[in-house]
Amino acid sequence: MGTFYLKVIACDRTFFSGQCKQVILPLEDGSLGIEAHHENMVFAIEMGELKIKNEEDNWITGIVGTGFAQVINNRVTIIVDTAEYPEEIDLARAAEAKARAEEQLRQKRSIQEYHHSQASLSRAMSRLALGSKSKQPK
């Protein structure tokens, strides 16, 4: 399996930069795996779990927010609003955010506030799922 250059950029930092063998992206209708020499394309990324298989065949996992991925000439650039490693997730804070978002969804609000609360709930649930997985004994 060949390698390709991958750069994952969040608003506050570069999450990953280097050669890898595969990246699995969260899309609206499921996941998409990209390997070396993938066809040139642009994808909309949804909030969810991002997986990167590095050159040493180790998987790097993270939670990403919405954004875009571009594949051109065996280079993949991913730009997202947030990106976190599982060990960076504060489970207590994520649980509080989930409870807050659920309460906001129960209240009658504008359409914009509803969609904002729904996005907050989705982000909190993704963080809890991956954060809980990483904290389990192996």
Side-chain angles (χ1 to χ4, degrees):
M1 180 184 291
T3 63
F4 61 95
Y5 181 77
L6 171 67
K7 189 163 195 173
V8 181
I9 303 166
C11 289
D12 58 345
R13 66 177 169 173
T14 298
F15 180 78
F16 181 88
S17 179
Q19 292 293 119
C20 69
K21 291 184 175 181
Q22 184 179 26
V23 61
I24 299 175
L25 308 170
L27 305 180
E28 182 178 358
D29 55 350
S31 298
L32 172 72
I34 297 175
E35 295 180 351
H37 309 292
H38 192 282
E39 179 180 12
N40 293 346
M41 299 181 101
V42 174
F43 305 97
I45 302 221
E46 290 295 316
M47 189 175 307
E49 188 174 0
L50 174 79
K51 295 180 181 179
I52 302 164
K53 188 175 192 179
N54 66 16
E55 290 180 292
E56 293 81 35
D57 286 331
N58 297 320
W59 286 97
I60 298 166
T61 307
I63 289 289
V64 295
T66 57
F68 294 93
Q70 176 188 50
V71 182
I72 294 181
N73 298 327
N74 212 35
R75 294 175 66 87
V76 178
T77 304
I78 299 171
I79 300 174
V80 289
D81 55 0
T82 60
E84 295 177 279
Y85 293 104
E87 57 273 9
E88 296 173 337
I89 296 171
D90 180 344
L91 292 176
R93 190 170 149 239
E96 290 171 8
K98 178 180 181 272
R100 245 188 340 270
E102 288 172 335
E103 178 57 33
Q104 288 172 347
L105 284 171
R106 282 192 281 275
Q107 299 173 6
K108 292 190 177 199
R109 298 187 173 246
S110 70
I111 295 295
Q112 181 180 3
E113 289 171 326
Y114 172 81
H115 288 295
H116 182 357
S117 296
Q118 204 165 24
S120 295
L121 178 60
S122 177
R123 182 173 45 253
M125 290 176 67
S126 294
R127 294 177 78 224
L128 282 169
L130 184 60
S132 296
K133 247 196 278 186
S134 74
K135 306 254 190 291
Q136 291 178 356
K138 296 185 180 185

